[in-house]
Amino acid sequence: MVRLAVKRLVFGALILWAVSVVVFLATAALPGDTAQAILGREATPERLAALRLELHLDDPLVSQYFSWLGGLLTFDPGRSLVNGLPVAEFVGPRIVNSLVLMLTAAVVSTPLAMFLGTWSAVRRDRAADHVTAVVTLVLAALPEFVVGITLVIVFATGPLRLLPAVYVGTGQVTFVDLVLPALTLVLAVGPYIVRMMRATMIEVLESEYVQQARLKGLPERTVLLRHAVPNAVGPVAQVVALQLAWLAGGVVVVEFLFRYPGIGYALVDAVNNRDLPVVQALALLIAALYIVVNLLADLVSLVANPRVRTAIR
Amino acid sequence: MTAAVAPASLLRTAARTGRTRVGLVLVALVVLTALLGPLVAPHDPTDFVGVPFGRDSLFGADNLGRDVLSRFLHGGQLLLVLSIAATVVGVGVGTALGMVAGYRGGWRDELIMRIGDVVLAFPQVVLALLFVSIAGPKVWLLVTVVGLSHAPRVARIMRDATLMVVERDFVKAAEVTGTRRLRIMTGEILPNVTGPLMVELGLRLTYSIGLIAALSFLGLGLQPPTADWGLMINENRIALTVQPWAVVLPVVAIAVLTIGTNLVTDGLARASAGLGRGVER
């Protein structure tokens, strides 16, 4: 068990290293002049040379990579080319904001979606089940910015001006700023969890141990809460984890839409400004977050499910 | 389970359910709008016809004073073409790699799946942003990056589907008679994994549309002055209260399109799983 966990951790670290190579190659080694791309066509040869020197663009690729990696490992990934701030200082508060947003979405969506899935399974083939099925299918299809814009149209414009359409503050995030972005993310990840919970619960409800519990004459409520739901949680945990990991990327578009001051919005901004050090640091950070959540999910499902624990050596 | 079914017959089976039919109608509506729209648009998409956000015509003018209806009618074609191209690239590459990994196994399997794991460590939109950041938002790059970000996801599914087929007798028989491996993959295995393949095509098309539209919405996909639905939303959302049509029309079009493709995909998945007592009833 511990050996397996360690193995997963080592594998995660290896993937993270490979990710850093991809991030570096995508931004530094793609055909085209990086300095020219950053400064634009009108740049003078002197400024180009100065930037190449600052970013060590004339060094061999391998030594460029290692000096960049060294910077990351010492929490000093360089300075932003746009505002001159150290990347770490610029990114720090934004990470907190994004984590708050992701956690809010996760804490709201997971229990709600699991409840809806269970309810839908219990009401199998009745009207409520069909409605849930169609609604989740529709929501699962919609790109998150379409959901977000629709929420803005409904709640922030027109007769109902309940909530701000975009964030207008200066770094501090309050509850009202959080509502619409979090709701968008909840509607984006929820449907998959609902569908998986429903499918698993239907299987569980037809199983012999649930039948046995019913035959014993236990009240349906007890059968559901004590016998069925705990057995459905294991398989659903995987999907929940996958969805929560998705949030790491999902925040990008949603934060941009609501001008929410997190790492996603910062990434889009940096890409638009060709702010290379910030793009590299944020892309790596989001990928790292994604890997860590997946890893946690793996470990949780290892702990939660004895069958997995013994089956995979 | 997997059985040799022609894609057309799978679609026919799927189309027996009401939901799939609704999906097909929705897709057809948007595709027709995108294809025929440019022919019936009253103005050129880049013509200035009034003051910015003016309300002289049916749906008014956009942020630069161009006709909203005309831009809407012109704005779907490229999105459709790029999404389909990215889907074909992603599902094509993913299927080829997944079949090789499943059929050949060994180091090829290991190599393909581990490289896939690295790509899977990036959220799709972040991968796209990363490649666009220095090379710039070029159309071929968008198609390639979106397509390749699908590939490992498709490969996983197709590898599993292949593994179930390779154990069957007809594959063994073909091997014994000395049929070439490529021939076995295209002639024996591929026809038996069309079910999951069709489902993947639908699923990846839905995601491609969302991703490419989202990139344009971020200002990092199709570039001005192109008429494009994602870009229109980006350009006009500041005036949502004054001129909602410039945002509402493209939002509705993208929503209807993706809902349609997802309903069809759901139908295909049910048809391919057999409508019997499945988990996904």
Side-chain angles (χ1 to χ4, degrees):
Chain A
M1 172 68 195
V2 174
R3 251 186 62 202
L4 189 58
V6 170
K7 211 168 130 188
R8 292 276 165 99
L9 277 175
V10 171
F11 186 63
L14 266 177
I15 292 280
L16 190 58
W17 168 77
V19 161
S20 81
V21 175
V22 173
V23 168
F24 178 78
L25 288 181
T27 47
L30 228 56
D33 184 343
T34 308
Q36 189 98 55
I38 292 169
L39 292 175
R41 279 183 211 290
E42 300 87 42
T44 59
E46 292 80 34
R47 289 196 56 203
L48 285 174
L51 185 69
R52 283 202 190 100
L53 197 68
E54 191 192 331
L55 294 177
H56 308 287
L57 291 177
D58 292 327
D59 296 1
L61 268 184
V62 177
S63 82
Q64 274 188 56
Y65 171 73
F66 280 108
S67 69
W68 175 68
L69 191 66
L72 285 174
L73 292 178
T74 51
F75 293 101
D76 177 25
R79 283 172 179 276
S80 160
L81 297 177
V82 173
N83 53 28
L85 284 172
V87 173
E89 194 178 302
F90 168 77
V91 167
R94 285 172 176 75
I95 297 178
V96 176
N97 287 344
S98 285
L99 284 179
V100 168
L101 177 58
M102 287 168 63
L103 274 178
T104 311
V107 168
V108 174
S109 64
T110 311
L112 193 69
M114 287 175 82
F115 171 77
L116 265 176
T118 308
W119 185 63
S120 196
V122 171
R123 305 237 141 198
R124 185 177 177 183
D125 287 341
R126 288 202 240 162
D129 182 32
H130 288 302
V131 171
T132 316
V134 171
V135 170
T136 51
L137 203 58
V138 164
L139 282 175
L142 294 176
E144 61 273 22
F145 73 96
V146 167
V147 176
I149 290 267
T150 310
L151 289 179
V152 168
I153 293 174
V154 174
F155 292 109
T157 66
L160 284 172
R161 300 202 177 192
L162 297 173
L163 295 157
V166 295
Y167 174 76
V168 287
T170 51
Q172 281 296 320
V173 183
T174 59
F175 177 72
V176 286
D177 302 319
L178 209 56
V179 177
L180 285 184
L183 187 56
T184 308
L185 290 173
V186 167
L187 291 177
V189 297
Y192 296 92
I193 305 176
V194 173
R195 291 175 76 81
M196 186 64 192
M197 188 69 191
R198 175 185 177 273
T200 316
M201 275 302 286
I202 284 177
E203 225 174 72
V204 170
L205 286 174
E206 283 180 356
S207 67
E208 284 171 1
Y209 52 83
V210 167
Q211 258 183 4
Q212 175 72 22
R214 278 188 182 140
L215 289 174
K216 273 198 300 189
L218 292 178
E220 190 62 23
R221 202 186 150 77
T222 317
V223 172
L224 207 60
L225 294 180
R226 292 283 297 282
H227 297 259
V229 171
N231 280 295
V233 167
V236 174
Q238 293 267 343
V239 173
V240 171
L242 219 65
Q243 290 308 310
L244 298 191
W246 178 88
L247 285 176
V251 293
V252 173
V253 177
V254 173
E255 284 182 3
F256 174 80
L257 168 58
F258 292 101
R259 297 184 167 281
Y260 184 90
I263 46 175
Y265 187 33
L267 176 65
V268 177
D269 228 21
V271 171
N272 266 318
N273 294 327
R274 306 193 171 221
D275 192 346
L276 192 63
V278 179
V279 172
Q280 290 172 329
L282 286 176
L284 193 59
L285 188 75
I286 292 177
L289 202 64
Y290 198 63
I291 293 171
V292 169
V293 177
N294 269 319
L295 210 62
L296 284 177
D298 269 1
L299 296 180
V300 167
S301 66
L302 275 179
V303 175
N305 191 342
R307 263 175 303 178
V308 176
R309 204 159 55 204
T310 47
I312 317 174
R313 273 162 296 157
Chain B
M1 293 302 347
T2 47
V5 277
S9 87
L10 191 67
L11 200 58
R12 260 199 306 280
T13 314
R16 280 195 207 124
T17 57
R19 270 189 223 165
T20 317
R21 276 192 220 142
V22 173
L24 284 171
V25 171
L26 294 181
V27 172
L29 264 177
V30 179
V31 170
L32 283 179
T33 308
L35 293 185
L36 302 180
L39 305 176
V40 296
H43 298 280
D44 208 65
T46 48
D47 274 354
F48 300 105
V49 296
V51 294
F53 301 122
R55 297 186 183 204
D56 301 333
S57 51
L58 182 54
F59 292 112
D62 74 354
N63 63 330
L64 298 178
R66 298 166 297 192
D67 184 39
V68 167
L69 178 63
S70 304
R71 283 183 73 74
F72 169 70
L73 291 173
H74 277 94
Q77 233 168 27
L78 255 178
L79 174 65
L80 273 183
V81 171
L82 297 187
S83 308
I84 292 171
T87 308
V88 170
V89 169
V91 175
V93 172
T95 303
L97 290 176
M99 280 173 54
V100 170
Y103 177 47
R104 300 299 305 277
W107 65 268
R108 291 179 183 85
D109 183 20
E110 206 47 39
L111 185 73
I112 290 171
M113 298 322 279
R114 293 300 84 81
I115 291 176
D117 282 339
V118 176
V119 179
L120 286 174
F122 289 95
Q124 282 184 285
V125 67
V126 174
L127 196 67
L129 288 183
L130 193 59
F131 280 87
V132 164
S133 64
I134 289 303
K138 302 189 176 67
V139 167
W140 66 266
L141 189 68
L142 289 176
V143 170
T144 315
V145 174
V146 171
L148 291 185
S149 71
H150 289 321
R153 293 168 169 87
V154 178
R156 283 192 164 184
I157 304 286
M158 296 314 288
R159 176 178 177 272
D160 289 350
T162 304
L163 281 176
M164 282 202 265
V165 177
V166 289
E167 288 305 315
R168 304 257 207 103
D169 289 341
F170 55 84
V171 176
K172 299 237 166 81
E175 273 172 348
V176 170
T177 55
T179 314
R180 284 176 38 227
R181 289 206 178 95
L182 188 66
R183 182 86 191 81
I184 292 180
M185 286 210 274
T186 54
E188 307 289 339
I189 298 175
L190 190 60
N192 286 289
V193 294
T194 45
L197 181 62
M198 293 281 285
V199 175
E200 280 304 302
L201 271 176
L203 196 62
R204 299 305 152 194
L205 181 60
T206 307
Y207 291 155
S208 295
I209 296 165
L211 198 52
I212 289 176
L215 287 170
S216 293
F217 168 69
L218 294 178
L220 296 162
L222 296 168
Q223 295 297 301
T226 312
D228 171 75
W229 291 339
L231 196 57
M232 275 180 84
I233 300 171
N234 182 8
E235 289 167 341
N236 297 299
R237 70 190 175 114
I238 43 162
L240 201 50
T241 45
V242 200
Q243 178 54 285
W245 289 117
V247 173
V248 171
L249 287 180
V251 162
V252 168
I254 295 172
V256 169
L257 180 60
T258 48
I259 291 170
T261 52
N262 208 32
L263 287 175
V264 175
T265 307
D266 185 60
L268 288 172
R270 283 151 188 272
S272 135
L275 285 169
R277 255 178 46 101
V279 174
E280 271 295 337
R281 225 201 61 91

